[in-house]
Structure formats: C-alpha cells, structure tokens
C-alpha cells in the first residue's frame, strides 16, 4: 500500500513537472512571485508561533499583505493566461494595471494598519 | 433589431410610472400618426429618444424619492426625530466642531456616569463622516448652512442615490426596463421610507445605499471578472462596514452565494477573481474601523467568509492541477490526498479555535436571528426593543403592498432565466425575507431585494403583454412595418391574426397592471404621510374643535434641564431618553440608548422598581441629582414609563434577584388601580409618575386621578415623597423631573442599620446592603 502510494506520488510528480514545463514564461514568473509571497507568509506564521502575536494588528497586516498580494497575483495570472476563454478579450495591459492599482490600495491600507 | 427592442422598453416604463404623459410613448411608433410632437421636431433617433426618456424618468424618480420623505419637515419643522438620531447628531456636531482626530479619539464623560463611554471606538463613523463631508462641501461652496439641516436631509438624499443604484442593479440583473421599475418602486416603498424620512438621521439611511452599492458592484465584478470592479466592491463594503452593524449580512450572504455557485457547478474564473480580491481587500479595509476591530478573523459570524476563501483556494488549485495533468488516475489519487488533508486541517483549526474560545461564538444580537426565542429567555434588553419583535403579516402588507405577491412572480421569472446575477438576487431575496420575518426592523434590509425582484416581474409581464398587444398592430398596419417579418414578432403576429380577442385581453391586463401600480403609489404615499412621518419627539393630536394640538413636552423638559440645573448635574432616567437628554439638555446621564452595560441599566431598573428609601440609596451611590420620568396619564400617551415598567423590572431582576416580577403583578395581571400589588403602588416609578395626579381631573365625567393611558382610576392617590421633590412638570404632564434631596444632617443613611463606612467606595456600599437585606 505504501509502495503503491509512493510510486503514485512519484508518477504524479513527474507528470506534473512535465506538464508545468509547457507553461509560458510570463506565467512562470507570476507563479514564482506567488510562491515567494506564500513563503514569506509561512515565515511570519512560524515567527508568531515562536514569539507570539502581540501587536496583533501588525501581525495581521504583515500576513494579509503577503496573502493579499499572492491572491492578486493569482488573479493576474488567470486574466493573462491565454488559455482562459473568458478573458480572451481583456488586454493584458489592463489586467496588469488593475493588479498594480489593487496592490497600491492593499499596501496603503497595510501601512495604515501596521501601527 | 433597433426598431423592435427599443420601443418595447420605452412603453414598458411609461406604464409603470404615472407621471409620464401618454403622449411621450407615441413618437416611438411611426411618426405619421402624430405630426406635431416636440420630440419629433428635435429630430432624434430612436436610441437617443430612448436615452432621453430613461434619463428623464430617472431624474423624476430621484426627485420623487427625495420629496416623498419631507412630510414631517413640512408639517412640523426641520428637526431630528426619535432617540438614536440625537446621538448621531451630537457626534456629527462634535466632528464638525473639533475635527476628525478629536472625534476618532473621543472619550465622553457625559454619559454612563460614572463609567463614561469611549465614543471614538464604539460607533460606526460612516454616517457622521458622510454628513460632515457634505457639510464641508456646502460650506466650501459658500452655502452657510447649519449642520442640523444637513443631518436632517442626509437620509432622503441617500434614498435618492439608492434609486440610482437600484436602476443599475436592475439593469445588470435583467435589463434596463426592470432597472427603471426597480428605481421607481424603491423610491416610494414604505419599508425603506420608514427608516429614511427627513429627520431620521440614523445609520440605516446611509447603510441601505451602501448595501445595495456593494451588492451591485460585486455582481458586476462576478459578471465581468474584472479586478477593478472587485476593488470597487471592496470599497463599497468598507463604506457599509463604516455605516452599520448589519454588514454581517453582506459578509455572510456573499460566501453563501459563492458556495451555491460552486455546488451548482456555475463557477468560473471570474468568480475566483471577484470573490478573492473583494474578500482580502474588503477585510483589510473593514478592520480599519475601530469598532469592528479584529472581528473578521476572530468572530464566529465572519468565519463563513474565511472558510469559503480557503475552500475556493483548494477548489481552484485542484481544478488547475486537473487541467495540467492529463492522466485522470493520478489525479484521483492526488485529489484524495489533498481533499482529506484540507478537510482535516480545516476541521482541526475550527475545532481548536472554537473550543479554546479564540473564535468567539455568535453574539446575542445575531444569534437571536437564527434562534428567535433566544433573546426572550436570556437577554431581556434585546427582547425589550420594540423593533426586535417578530413581524406580523400586517406589517408585511403595510410595508410592501402589491410587492408581496409580485415577489413570488419575480422569483418565477428569475428561475426561468438563471444566470449568476439572478441567482444572487434570488438568494438575497430569500434570506432577507426570512430575516424580515424574524425581526420587524429587518424589513428594511429585505426592501431592496423585494423591489428588485418585483421589478423583474412587472417589467417582464408588461413587456410580454405589450408585445402581444402591439404584434397585431404591426401586421394590420402594413404601411408602417419594416423588418417585422424577420423578427420574432411575426410568429406571434400570425398567431394573433386568428385570435383577435388575445390583443384585447392583453390590453385589459395592461390596464389592470397600471391600475395596481397606481394603487401602490397611492398606498405608499398614504403610509408615508400617516405612519412614518412622525418625529416621535413632538406629538400631535386633534383638539375638541378639530384643530391640531401639538405636544412639545419633551423639548420643553430638556430645555428646562439645560437652563435650570447646574452644569454638572446628573440625570437618571430610563435608557430610552439618554441620548436626547445629553444632546438637548446637555447634562450627564446615567444610562443611555447604547445599552452597552447591562448591569448599569439593571441598577437603574432596580432603583425605579424599589421602595423610595432603597432607591434613594442607589441614587446617592450614583450621585444622581435629578430623576426624569415620562408619564402619559394626562394625555393618553401610551409609550410612557409606566407601560415600560415591566421591562425595567425584568432587566433589573435579571441582575439583582431581589427584584421579582411577580411582586408587581396581581394574578399575573399588570394593574395600577386599587387592586394593584402593594409593591407596585409604592415603588419609585409609581410615586414619581402619579405624584399629585390624584388631585387632577383629566376627563369630563371621570373621577380625579383617572389615568387616560391605562383607562383606570389610580390606586394610590395620596402620594408623599420623602427623598425627592418635584422640580418640573411639563405643560401636559408628559415629562416630570424630580430633584434628589441631599441627605439630612442627623441621619445620613435613614432607614438602614449598616454601620457608616467612610472608607468604602459609595457604589460598593449598597452592594453590602443588598447582601444584608437579601
């Protein structure tokens, strides 16, 4: 049972790798950005697990800035991805401008909330 | 195409708004019939004619929504109504005088003596900031207007804006015809008017605008999948959070909607974009309001949104992986592992959070919406508010009229043409109708949904009827027909040729529909005029000769307080009048309408229900200088303190078991006449209400001391007050103010045997006495 699951996992991993290699570079950059943001969020969670979350608003603002920008980057990826039929007449410049605007609002609110 | 679609829309609207003269719809037919009409002379194309009609209708609806709310301003004067608006007015005044930072950090020592209240952190600033911005804008344009006028007219102004939002929302959900009807319906719907008349300067006036705006922007975001619209809806949500505690409805309805879309398989990437950006940005913005604080991550009421957020991430991640992997077997294995881990992690997190108390359970106010019997048993303060009672059918009919049966009809149409937007409006309608059934106050939240869905029914029905009525026209008058053979009207036309009475039937039904809508308009205006335009603080009645008599006792009493008492005097009254006393009388009060401290209110309730000597102890411990009671026995005013007295007993008894409700009742009956319970006849509230009343003849043919509000002769006519003296009674005896006498020199604590303990704080002293006396 365990061997079949590990073999499954390996096969899964391989096929996933090969399928992912086919994605265009701009999407891979966005994925890298999302991964970085989530990684930063995980570091912050590890930090509060060790030290405690005393200025809770600061913790929330740090965590939400990471999660927020990750979510917005995923939305950008969705809108820019040429395979998505629903967004085929949305120019990628417009998608990027929306992304920048939302991030601006996000970070302004974060700066107010940081305390 | 152009010739077919537009005229139908135009004639749809002309039917449901009586103010458009019939001649206006004619130019859309071929112009040969009516030669000299002004629209034709402007040489407009059909599209422009239609735009002109739409804009003029919207302008008329805008003005209508404003002026129908002005009854009380015309009949009485431009003043703030009721109780809560006086607090909002006082805070707005403070904001305009002292500026935003003082307002945001304001600690008020004039209410809840001796505790004080952190106003800056315990109010929803949206309304005050809106009114202040309008005031500053007008001042900038050199209109020297008083802030009170701005406050009085804020609610009608925002009601007009709500009609505009309703138009756009209707256009998004169905088509522009439905939008116009929705705007017209919501402009005069009594359910909305009840909380947004001129003078009702309360959170709901602005909040309903914010609610509808947030919903419209969110539906637009889901329909277009654009980040910009999602950002706009996050800002709409922020405005709603700043305006009213009812934002909890939004933060629960939208996740529920997302869940329904996921379950029914109507999800798409647009949903992901719209919900996620709106949730993260909206949550962050909402946490900027101090009163809301961290509730979005800590309170049970907000957990649904977070749960759906995580669910969406998992769901779309799995969707993406499935799209990447071509082998379904591998994907199934992956799916199994991920789903079980995700559910396990989620369940553990939720369980740990709730069990450890980190995620607070649903608060009483919102829990009583899910379990309506909860408040009556556990929280008497919530149960005692008249607006929180369950709704009777008559209230529904009164507030909605024909919309009540147009609502199911609209639901039928929505189900016939399901789309993301119609699913949303159906869910909004059903959930809000449920909550409107639980609490009278929430009819207000249901009103936009009911108006929108009814508008769909009206618009679709009238459109179909007009199609049937006009199809015959197009076939018989062939001289004017252009491309009708290629349009769907032709099939209907060929059918109608054989059944001429179908057209007459359609016209008859159209006339019936117009008649119904005109009855709706009449009813709404009558309801607004009779029921919802009273300022509550000024009462009116008909005199013996039919002339109008005005009772301005409340303001008389507050003005007396303002002018004849020392500036640091403390006034004890029931919590209903607290805001008004602080705003108009400018004196410190013990409890007010915020009701944030149940024990403090119970202390006042206990004082009102005790014998005079016990009450004197409590009043001395609270440093009370004046006591204010409201009495309706002379005028027959039924919302006075004697009628509210049992609630004082219940609330006081909830904290101090020494007060027992059966002591005040006789055989379960509440009486004030000779047969009343002895504790009732001698308690402080009774004495203060009926002091010297036994000498007064109130009605011809009745004995002196006849209480017109209860309809009985009072039991204890010879009342003597030992520790208080009468300071002021208004001209119609509605408000009575008594001064608390300072203690006698010889016996500081008359009537008890507890030794004098000067080093014990005053408030604790009577706690000790309670322990001794049981």
């Amino acid at each position: 049972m365990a061997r079949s699951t590990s073999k499954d996992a390996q096969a899964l991993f391989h096929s996933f790798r090969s399928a992912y290699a086919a994605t265009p570079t701009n999407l891979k950059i966005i994925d890298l950005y999302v991964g970085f943001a989530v990684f930063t969020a995980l570091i912050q969670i590890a930090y509060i697990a060790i030290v405690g979350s005393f200025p809770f608003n600061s913790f929330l603002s740090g965590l939400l800035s990471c999660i927020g920008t990750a979510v917005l980057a995923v939305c950008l990826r969705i809108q820019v991805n040429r395979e998505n039929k629903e967004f085929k007449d949305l120019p990628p410049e417009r998608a990027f401008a929306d992304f920048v605007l939302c991030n601006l609002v996000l970070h302004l609110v974060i700066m107010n909330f940081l305390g | 195409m152009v010739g077919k679609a537009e005229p139908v829309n135009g004639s749809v609207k002309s039917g449901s708004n009586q103010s458009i003269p019939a001649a206006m719809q004619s130019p859309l037919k071929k112009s040969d019939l009516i030669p000299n009409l002004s629209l034709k002379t402007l040489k407009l194309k059909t599209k422009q004619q239609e735009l002109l009609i739409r804009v003029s209708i919207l302008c008329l609806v805008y003005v209508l929504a404003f002026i129908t709310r002005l009854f009380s301003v015309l009949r009485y004067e431009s003043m703030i109504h009721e109780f809560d608006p006086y607090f909002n007015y006082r805070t707005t005044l403070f904001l305009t005088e002292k500026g935003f930072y003082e307002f945001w950090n304001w600690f008020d020592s004039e209410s809840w003596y001796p505790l004080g209240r952190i106003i800056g952190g315990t109010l929803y600033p949206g309304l005050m900031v809106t009114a202040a911005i309008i005031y500053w804008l007008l001042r900038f344009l050199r209109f020297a207007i008083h802030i009170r006028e701005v406050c009085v007219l804020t609610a009608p102004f925002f009601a007009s804006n709500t009609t505009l939002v309703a138009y756009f929302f209707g256009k998004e959900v169905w088509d522009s015809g439905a939008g116009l009807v929705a705007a017209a319906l919501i402009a005069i719907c009594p359910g909305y008017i009840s909380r947004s008349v001129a003078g009702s300067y309360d959170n709901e006036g602005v909040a309903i605008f914010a609610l509808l705006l947030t919903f419209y922007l969110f539906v637009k975001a889901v329909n277009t999948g654009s980040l910009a619209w999602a950002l706009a809806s996050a800002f709409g949500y922020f405005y709603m959070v700043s305006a009213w505690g009812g934002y909890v409805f939004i933060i629960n309805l939208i996740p529920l909607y997302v869940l329904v879309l996921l379950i029914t398989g109507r999800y798409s990437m647009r949903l992901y974009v719209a919900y996620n950006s709106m949730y993260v940005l909206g949550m962050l913005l909402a946490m900027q309001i101090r009163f809301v604080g961290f509730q979005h991550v800590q309170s049970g009421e907000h957990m649904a949104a977070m749960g759906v957020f995580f669910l969406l991430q998992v769901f779309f991640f799995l969707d993406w992986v499935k799209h990447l992997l071509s082998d379904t077997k591998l994907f199934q294995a992956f799916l199994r592992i991920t789903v079980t881990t995700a559910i396990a992690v989620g369940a553990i997190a939720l369980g740990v959070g709730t069990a450890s108390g980190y995620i607070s359970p649903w608060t009483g106010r919102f829990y009583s919406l899910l379990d309506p019997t909860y408040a009556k048993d556990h929280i008497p303060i919530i149960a005692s508010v008249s607006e929180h009672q369950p709704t009777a059918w008559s209230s529904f009919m009164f507030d909605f009229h024909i919309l009540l049966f147009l609502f199911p009809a609209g639901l039928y149409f929505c189900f016939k043409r399901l789309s993301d937007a119609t699913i949303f409006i159906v869910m909004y309608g059903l959930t809000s109708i449920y909550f409107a059934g639980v609490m009278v106050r929430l009819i207000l939240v249901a009103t936009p949904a009911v108006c929108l869905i009814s508008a769909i029914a009206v618009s679709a029905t009238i459109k179909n009827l007009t199609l049937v009525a006009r199809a015959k026209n197009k076939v018989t008058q062939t001289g004017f027909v252009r491309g009708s053979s290629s349009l769907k009207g032709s099939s209907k036309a060929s059918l109608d040729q054989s059944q001429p009475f179908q057209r007459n039937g359609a016209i008859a039904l159209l006339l019936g529909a117009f008649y119904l809508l005109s009855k709706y308009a009449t009813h709404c205006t009558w309801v607004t005029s009779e029921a919802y335009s009273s300022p509550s603080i000024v009462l009116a009645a008909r005199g013996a000769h039919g002339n109008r008599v005005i009772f301005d006792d409340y303001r008389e009493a507050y003005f007396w307080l303002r002018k004849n008492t020392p500036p640091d005097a403390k006034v004890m009254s029931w919590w209903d009048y607290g805001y008004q006393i602080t705003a108009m009388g400018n004196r410190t009060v013990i409890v007010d309408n915020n009701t944030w401290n149940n024990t403090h209110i119970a202390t006042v309730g206990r004082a009102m229900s005790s014998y005079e000597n016990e009450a004197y102890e409590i009043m001395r411990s609270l440093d009370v200088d004046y006591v204010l009671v409201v009495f309706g026995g002379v005028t027959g005013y039924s919302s006075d303190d004697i009628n509210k007295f049992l609630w004082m007993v219940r609330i006081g008894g909830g904290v101090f078991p020494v007060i027992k409700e059966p002591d005040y009742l006789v055989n379960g009956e509440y009486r004030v006449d000779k047969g009343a319970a002895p504790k009732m006849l001698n308690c402080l509230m009774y004495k203060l209400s009926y002091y010297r009343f036994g000498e007064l003849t109130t009605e011809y043919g009745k004995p002196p001391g006849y209480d017109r509000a209860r309809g009985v002769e009072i039991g204890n006519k010879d009342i003597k007050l030992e520790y208080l003296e009468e300071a002021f009674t208004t001209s119609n005896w509605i408000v009575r103010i008594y001064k608390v006498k300072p203690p006698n020199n010889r016996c500081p604590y008359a009537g008890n045997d507890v030794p004098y303990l000067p080093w014990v704080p005053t408030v604790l002293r009577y706690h000790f006495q309670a322990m001794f006396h049981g």
Side-chain angles (χ1 to χ4, degrees):
Chain A
M1 182 63 177
R3 189 170 307 167
S4 72
T5 21
S6 73
K7 268 184 58 170
D8 264 347
Q10 271 190 334
L12 194 73
F13 193 59
H14 279 298
S15 83
F16 190 77
R17 272 259 294 263
S18 57
Y20 187 68
T23 56
T25 327
N26 56 349
L27 295 184
K28 280 199 194 150
I29 295 177
I30 298 179
D31 288 339
L32 203 58
Y33 180 69
V34 173
F36 165 69
V38 172
F39 177 64
T40 321
L42 289 174
I43 293 183
Q44 290 183 39
I45 294 180
Y47 176 81
I48 65 149
I50 301 174
V51 181
S53 67
F54 162 58
F56 194 61
N57 55 325
S58 313
F59 158 63
L60 267 186
S61 58
L63 187 69
L64 282 176
S65 77
C66 296
I67 293 185
T69 190
V71 158
L72 288 172
V74 173
C75 293
L76 173 69
R77 187 191 199 276
I78 290 174
Q79 289 183 333
V80 160
N81 196 352
R82 257 174 296 246
E83 292 175 17
N84 279 333
K85 294 292 167 288
E86 289 160 353
F87 290 104
K88 70 174 151 50
D89 45 357
L90 181 74
E93 289 81 12
R94 163 80 198 269
F96 188 69
D98 282 344
F99 172 71
V100 168
L101 177 67
C102 288
N103 263 319
L104 187 69
V105 170
L106 177 80
H107 288 101
L108 278 175
V109 180
I110 295 287
M111 283 199 289
N112 180 40
F113 200 37
L114 210 49
Chain B
M1 201 50 168
V2 170
K4 186 76 198 287
E6 265 65 42
V8 174
N9 273 342
S11 59
V12 161
K13 195 49 219 119
S14 66
S16 43
N17 191 326
Q18 300 300 307
S19 48
I20 303 286
M24 291 277 268
Q25 52 173 313
S26 327
L28 304 169
K29 289 192 183 145
K30 293 303 166 183
S31 45
D32 295 348
L33 292 173
I34 298 96
N36 47 352
L37 208 54
S38 54
L39 274 185
K40 180 210 169 215
T41 60
L42 292 173
K43 292 199 183 7
L44 295 170
K45 294 201 285 286
T46 322
K47 244 197 159 59
Q48 290 170 320
Q49 286 171 349
E50 196 228 351
L51 182 66
L52 177 66
I53 288 186
R54 266 196 279 158
V55 168
S56 54
I57 289 172
L58 275 178
C59 288
L60 284 169
V61 165
Y62 193 89
V63 172
L64 176 68
F66 191 85
I67 61 181
T68 189
R69 288 163 164 81
L70 293 181
F71 275 104
S72 74
V73 174
L74 295 171
R75 285 177 183 166
Y76 302 94
E77 63 180 88
S78 158
M79 66 177 141
I80 312 269
H81 297 184
E82 304 239 333
F83 303 112
D84 280 358
Y86 273 98
F87 171 71
N88 297 332
Y89 172 60
R90 183 168 158 246
T91 48
T92 317
L93 201 55
F94 189 88
L95 171 60
T96 52
E97 282 170 2
K98 303 263 187 351
F100 187 70
Y101 279 110
E102 285 296 323
F103 168 77
W104 199 235
N105 296 307
W106 186 15
F107 179 81
D108 180 32
S109 45
E110 277 199 15
S111 53
W112 296 91
Y113 184 85
L115 307 163
R117 177 183 169 185
I118 310 172
I119 290 192
T122 59
L123 56 48
Y124 287 106
L127 176 69
M128 298 86 183
V129 171
T130 310
I133 288 180
I134 296 177
Y135 171 74
W136 284 324
L137 188 69
L138 288 174
R139 283 254 146 167
F140 176 72
L141 296 172
R142 302 292 179 258
F143 285 108
I145 205 168
H146 192 269
I147 181 70
R148 195 191 63 237
E149 314 302 336
V150 175
C151 291
V152 164
L153 295 174
T154 298
F157 173 59
F158 273 89
S160 301
N161 296 341
T162 309
T163 62
L164 287 183
V165 179
Y167 164 69
F168 286 111
F169 202 173
K171 197 162 118 165
E172 190 67 28
V173 173
W174 199 256
D175 63 15
S176 59
L180 287 171
V181 179
L185 289 178
I186 206 172
I188 50 176
C189 188
Y192 185 24
I193 289 187
S194 62
R195 305 291 299 201
S196 66
V197 280
S200 172
Y201 181 55
D202 210 354
N203 300 51
E204 288 93 344
V206 178
I208 295 299
F209 168 72
L211 180 91
L212 208 56
L213 187 69
T214 312
F215 282 153
Y216 164 62
L217 292 171
F218 182 70
V219 169
K220 193 93 179 149
V222 171
N223 272 347
T224 57
S226 142
L227 261 181
W229 283 109
L231 177 68
S233 82
F235 274 116
Y237 178 62
F238 171 56
Y239 188 42
M240 178 70 189
V241 171
S242 74
W244 196 33
Y247 74 88
V248 174
F249 180 64
I250 298 188
I251 202 67
N252 280 310
L253 180 65
I254 289 188
L256 194 66
Y257 167 66
V258 170
L259 208 57
V260 165
L261 282 187
L262 282 181
I263 292 176
T264 56
R266 287 178 171 272
Y267 58 88
S268 62
M269 293 300 182
R270 293 174 281 118
L271 180 68
Y272 182 88
V273 171
Y275 179 71
N276 279 324
S277 6
M278 190 249 184
Y279 178 63
V280 174
L281 288 167
M283 174 166 78
L284 256 181
L285 282 167
M287 291 202 275
Q288 309 308 306
I289 308 288
R290 278 168 62 195
F291 195 26
V292 172
F294 300 127
Q295 276 181 13
H296 276 74
V297 291
Q298 284 180 341
S299 155
E301 295 145 8
H302 303 76
M303 285 298 117
M306 190 181 285
V308 168
F309 176 69
F310 284 122
L311 180 71
L312 264 188
Q313 308 307 319
V314 169
F315 196 86
F316 278 88
F317 178 66
L318 288 175
D319 207 42
W320 177 61
V321 169
K322 180 160 137 186
H323 172 75
L324 267 189
L325 296 177
S326 38
D327 189 346
T328 45
K329 226 168 26 127
L330 276 178
F331 175 68
Q332 300 292 357
F334 178 69
L335 181 67
R336 256 201 331 268
I337 307 171
T338 327
V339 168
T340 36
T341 18
I343 294 181
V345 166
I348 290 176
L350 194 65
V352 165
T354 323
S356 70
Y358 186 73
I359 297 181
S360 56
W362 283 56
T363 58
R365 261 178 66 190
F366 295 112
Y367 188 72
S368 61
L369 288 177
L370 298 178
D371 176 14
T373 58
Y374 179 74
K376 192 135 210 293
D377 298 330
H378 298 257
I379 318 176
I381 278 203
I382 295 182
S384 73
V385 182
S386 64
E387 300 169 316
H388 291 182
Q389 306 309 318
T391 324
W393 271 111
S394 53
S395 296
F396 273 114
M397 187 62 194
F398 198 63
D399 281 342
F400 288 139
H401 204 239
I402 61 166
L403 303 186
L404 213 49
F405 63 81
L406 286 177
F407 179 72
L411 283 180
Y412 162 73
F413 279 107
C414 286
F415 276 111
K416 244 175 56 159
R417 197 171 99 178
L418 273 183
S419 69
D420 290 347
T422 48
I423 292 185
F424 181 80
I425 199 71
V426 163
M427 285 187 63
Y428 175 27
L430 292 175
T431 48
S432 58
I433 282 280
Y434 167 71
F435 289 123
V438 174
M439 216 187 247
V440 170
R441 189 179 184 185
L442 295 179
I443 283 190
L444 174 72
V445 174
T447 302
V450 170
C451 286
L452 274 165
I453 296 184
S454 313
I456 292 177
V458 169
S459 173
T461 313
I462 292 191
K463 190 190 266 200
N464 288 340
L465 287 175
T466 336
L467 264 175
V468 172
R470 288 166 65 84
K472 202 72 166 87
N473 265 343
K474 283 208 172 342
V475 172
T476 52
Q477 294 155 20
T478 44
F480 311 111
V481 167
R482 286 285 169 266
S484 69
S485 55
S486 59
L487 306 166
K488 16 184 206 346
S490 61
S491 53
K492 276 220 169 76
S494 47
L495 238 99
D496 294 335
Q497 248 181 339
S498 53
Q499 291 162 346
F501 104 108
Q502 201 169 7
R503 176 171 171 260
N504 293 336
I507 291 188
L509 282 175
L510 266 179
L511 286 174
F514 298 160
Y515 171 71
L516 267 182
L517 289 165
S518 67
K519 283 317 252 187
Y520 171 72
T522 321
H523 170 87
C524 292
T525 320
W526 176 82
V527 164
T528 313
S529 161
E530 291 301 316
Y532 289 139
S533 298
S534 112
S536 294
I537 193 170
V538 169
L539 313 162
R542 294 262 157 228
H545 303 283
N547 55 324
R548 197 168 72 140
V549 177
I550 301 269
F551 299 129
D552 207 2
D553 287 44
Y554 280 102
R555 294 197 292 173
E556 186 186 339
Y558 301 138
F559 197 63
W560 183 91
L561 264 184
R562 196 188 185 104
K563 293 288 178 188
N564 294 293
T565 56
D568 62 349
K570 329 271 183 304
V571 180
M572 179 172 95
S573 70
W574 192 233
W575 57 261
D576 288 6
Y577 317 108
Y579 281 156
Q580 286 179 342
I581 296 175
T582 355
M584 281 192 275
N586 202 24
R587 293 288 174 267
T588 311
V589 287
I590 306 292
V591 289
D592 69 17
N593 308 54
N594 191 29
T595 66
W596 68 268
N597 189 333
N598 194 35
T599 311
H600 219 50
I601 296 182
T603 313
V604 170
R606 179 188 174 181
M608 295 293 194
S609 354
S610 314
Y611 292 121
E612 198 186 339
N613 48 354
E614 300 163 354
Y616 183 65
E617 298 310 311
I618 300 176
M619 289 194 288
R620 289 285 303 148
S621 72
L622 289 171
D623 290 347
V624 174
D625 296 310
Y626 290 89
V627 182
L628 186 145
V629 295
V630 169
F631 172 59
V634 173
T635 46
Y637 177 54
S638 57
S639 309
D640 63 353
D641 280 355
I642 290 284
N643 277 346
K644 292 180 195 164
F645 181 62
L646 275 184
W647 284 110
M648 299 187 199
V649 169
R650 284 180 197 134
I651 294 175
V655 177
F656 301 104
V658 67
I659 306 281
K660 302 184 200 43
E661 193 181 338
D663 287 347
Y664 301 87
L665 304 172
V666 173
N667 294 334
E669 218 186 300
Y670 179 59
R671 296 169 66 170
V672 295
D673 54 1
K674 274 207 172 35
K679 184 131 196 207
M680 178 74 207
L681 288 176
N682 289 300
C683 69
L684 185 71
M685 174 55 70
Y686 190 96
K687 283 186 161 183
L688 294 183
S689 294
Y690 291 121
Y691 182 67
R692 289 193 309 115
F693 184 64
E695 310 149 14
L696 191 70
T697 310
T698 51
E699 215 173 289
Y700 178 72
K702 295 276 193 305
Y706 180 75
D707 183 346
R708 289 176 76 187
R710 260 68 52 184
V712 294
E713 188 184 342
I714 61 170
N716 185 358
K717 291 193 193 174
D718 187 25
I719 296 178
K720 300 245 180 313
L721 288 176
E722 195 181 339
Y723 299 102
L724 297 112
E725 59 186 4
E726 187 179 2
F728 182 68
T729 299
T730 55
S731 42
N732 296 301
W733 287 55
I734 292 187
V735 182
R736 311 193 67 180
I737 303 179
Y738 293 83
K739 185 168 164 40
V740 177
K741 288 201 261 202
N744 299 328
N745 279 337
R746 276 197 303 130
C747 242
Y749 300 100
N752 69 52
D753 42 354
V754 174
Y756 185 60
L757 301 163
W759 48 270
V760 173
T762 324
V763 178
L764 282 182
R765 220 172 275 151
Y766 80 81
H767 279 302
F768 288 145
Q769 293 163 18
M771 284 188 329
F772 283 125
H773 290 264

